[in-house]
Each structure stands twice: as structure tokens, then as C-alpha cells.
Amino acid sequence: MIVRVLISAALVAPFLSTAPVFAAPGQNCAEPGRAQINGSYARVMLQADAIIPIENGGGTTVAVLATGVDAGQPQLGNRVLTGADVLPGGSRATADCAGLGTQVAGVISGQRGAAAGLSPGSRILPIRVMPDDPAGSEPTPGSLARGIDTAVQNGADVVVVAVPVRTDQAVLETAVANAVAQGVIIVAAVGEESPSAGASEDSSVPYPAGYRNVIGVGAIDRTGQLLRTSRSGGFVDLLAPGVAVPALQTGRGLVEVDGSAVAAGFVGASAALLRARRPDLTVPEAITLLKATASPAASSAGVVNPYAALTTRVSGTGARDLPALKPAAEPDRTAESYRRTVALTSASLATILVLALLLLAAALRRSRRRQWRPALAPHLCTPPEPLEPGPPVMLLDPPVPVAKQS
């Protein structure tokens, strides 16, 4: 990646701008940067101007594990801490001959213009884990492990690993696990595929991006397409701008850079903003929030969206017990029994009424066939009572013969 930056800066800069260039920090170091670069699609894509009123990352410390960071870069101001050099005999954490660490630090905490950082209030903790050779170099699993341990010991909230390794070693995995256990968010570039590399090398997993609870970051261009040489796989958790991104150059000036290292810087800045605003989140919760609020992309991973991460709350996705449920409560059972009783009673009454109407209708039809008509019964004929009482009748006397009429 560094080779591409140097070539593009050397070939393109004289034709794009007549602005003066600044001197490089020393011989055999990175080419000088330009005085000005107009505009940054990366800041527009990540809604940088909308984020600052909400959060600027103040109070957080972001460790940059790379070639060191140039503490004299004017746009980094006094926010570059002393840091540490974990290479044997090294003592150059605040100098950056290659420029990679300064470029990553710039997109995190740069102050002005197109190269301003997403989290300008964050402090930068430079950790030199690789030689600052402008021709390109890589760290080792041991130097990355020492760099992560040193970052944790010096109070880093977020660790950005600019260049991965292709070897999984227990010492590096242990350093990552210890950092996560202490609440440190680790963001790691997934690196680029070398055109001259073999198939086995290109298919290997980059570390520490391949570890659990580490955010692996790939690079995209202004259209959202993956950088042609960007590595892809299940180890890519988030994407961020990583093609022609305006960044701070070591010494002074600006340069446009490519690669997943600067993309990891944007995600590291997003993690710092989230840590500043939501210090209560655990590392897995912060990673879940950043991934859940990412913008959709052509790749399976989404594009980091720091504005959404700061303004959205996401429910946990882990398994949870159901709320305690009461067994068939008595009030509910009584109410159900009452409803059933009312329903049965109403149905019974309705059935009886229907049967009565049917019987009445049948009786009326039968009576009409027998020519029955409704009428009042005639009065009974009763003889008039005699005015005078008759002779008394003795019970023991023989009956009096009744005269026959002729």
C-alpha cells in the first residue's frame, strides 16, 4: 500500500496542483505532501459534519499500531502522546518515516480541511510495531502482541492495527483476548492481496482481524465498490472509504492514500466516538451496534455509519428467557367460566323459545285442518232456585213413590 501511495504522489501531484509542497521529514522517507486537497468524499459518505455536534470523541485514547506517528504534524496538534516503540532497540514512536501511522492518525484525529478526522477530540497513542521502510514492511505476530499489550497498559480505549499478519500465533490471540476482557475495542485492517502472491497466501486469514471480538475492516471507493486488491472473506466485519482518501502526510502536507489501513482508521474513529458517548457498552455490544447500524453495501459486510451508531440503540440478539408467566390465574378462569355459563344459558333459552314457537305453529296448522276456530265456551244452563224450600227429606224414611204420569 505504501508503494502505491508513494508512486501516485510522485507522479500525480505535479500535474494536479501548483501549490507548494512541504519538505519530507528526512532522507529516504515518504515523499512530501501537498499543501491542499479540495474536498473529501469520505467525510461526506460518513456524515462527518453531522457527527461533530453530537460527539467529538473527547476523553478517548486511540492507539495506532503502525510505523509510529509524526507528533510534529501541525494538524495533529498536541494530541499525540508519547507512545512506545516495541521493536528491538527502537525509540521512534513519535517519528514516522514511512508516513503510514500518520495517515491513519489523521483520519482519526486530524483537525482541519479535507483530511480532518472523524473523532478530532481523541488522543493518539502511537505504537511502533513495524519498521518504517517506505518500500513497505510488515509487523510480526510478536510485535503486534507486544503493541496491543502496551496500548492496554497505557490506557487505550481503541486499538487500530494498520497492517495484519498472516500467521496465527497464541501470543497474539492471548493479547487480543486480554485487551477485549479489559474493555478495549480492537479494529484491524484486513490488508490487500499482492499481485505477486500465491493463491495460498491470498487465501490465508489476516490476524488479528480473524479473531473473535475483533472488527476486521476492508476498503471501498467513492461508489461503494471494494478496492480491487482488498481482501474479502468472513473476517471482514465492516467497510470504510479506502481509495483516494485525503490524509495527513508525515512532516507536513496532505496526500491521497489507498488501502484498508486508512479504512481501519475511520472505523477506529467511529469506535472512539461510540466509546465516548456510550462508555457502558461492552466490547461485544459495541461491535454489535457498529455492525447493526452499518449502511448496506455490495459486499456481505456493511459500510460503517458512525452517525447511526451514535443515535441508535439496538436490542441484544442473544438468547433471553421469556417473561415469567402466571399459570392459569384464578380470575381468568372464573371469568372464562362465567362467559361459558352465560353463553350456555342464552343458547338454552333460545332453543326453548324456538321449540315453543315451532310447537305452537304446528298446533295452529292442525287445528285449522279440523276447522277449529277460536271462541268462548257457552254458559252452563242452571235451573232457577225454588222460592220455597221443599219438605225435609229424612234419611231413614222409605222413599216416597213418585207418581207416574199418564
Side-chain angles (χ1 to χ4, degrees), residues 304-331:
V304 67
N305 188 335
Y307 182 86
L310 293 174
T311 57
T312 304
R313 291 182 180 269
V314 178
S315 300
T317 57
R320 294 180 298 176
D321 294 334
L322 291 173
L325 299 177
K326 296 180 180 179
E330 289 300 327

Side-chain angles (χ1 to χ4, degrees), residues 102-366:
T102 304
Q103 294 158 10
V104 175
V107 301
I108 296 172
S109 192
Q111 290 301 291
R112 300 184 304 277
L118 279 183
S119 183
S122 296
R123 297 182 298 268
I124 300 297
L125 178 67
I127 307 291
R128 185 169 177 260
V129 296
M130 54 190 289
D132 48 3
D133 180 5
S137 60
E138 293 184 355
T140 65
S143 67
L144 283 185
R146 292 192 299 274
I148 293 172
D149 289 339
T150 302
V152 174
Q153 294 166 6
N154 285 271
D157 299 291
V158 178
V159 171
V160 177
V161 179
V163 179
V165 295
R166 301 175 187 271
T167 305
D168 178 14
Q169 290 190 5
V171 63
L172 179 56
E173 186 175 10
T174 300
V176 168
N178 291 339
V180 171
Q182 297 188 51
V184 178
I185 302 174
I186 299 181
V187 178
V190 299
E192 285 71 53
E193 298 175 351
S194 172
S196 60
S200 61
E201 184 178 352
D202 286 344
S203 62
S204 61
V205 176
Y207 295 98
Y211 292 135
R212 186 169 175 266
N213 289 327
V214 174
I215 304 176
V217 183
I220 58 171
D221 61 17
R222 66 177 64 244
T223 65
Q225 298 299 314
L226 281 173
L227 174 65
R228 183 176 58 85
T229 58
S230 184
R231 306 187 70 200
S232 59
F235 43 79
V236 179
D237 299 299
L238 287 172
L239 302 171
V243 178
V245 173
L248 303 182
Q249 181 64 306
T250 185
R252 296 183 68 186
L254 310 175
V255 64
E256 289 185 343
V257 298
D258 299 344
S260 60
V262 69
F266 283 123
V267 176
S270 301
L273 293 169
L274 184 59
R275 178 60 80 211
R277 189 164 182 83
R278 299 284 306 280
D280 58 304
L281 294 178
T282 64
V283 172
E285 289 172 342
I287 294 175
T288 297
L289 183 56
L290 287 169
K291 292 171 65 175
T293 55
S295 303
S299 172
S300 58
V303 180
V304 67
N305 188 335
Y307 182 86
L310 293 174
T311 57
T312 304
R313 291 182 180 269
V314 178
S315 300
T317 57
R320 294 180 298 176
D321 294 334
L322 291 173
L325 299 177
K326 296 180 180 179
E330 289 300 327
D332 294 338
R333 185 182 302 167
T334 302
E336 181 65 22
S337 176
Y338 174 76
R339 288 193 293 269
R340 289 182 179 179
T341 301
V342 171
L344 290 174
T345 303
S346 301
S348 299
L349 292 175
T351 302
I352 293 172
L353 179 60
V354 170
L355 291 175
L357 292 175
L358 291 175
L359 290 175
L360 178 60
L364 289 175
R365 287 196 299 270
R366 185 176 181 182

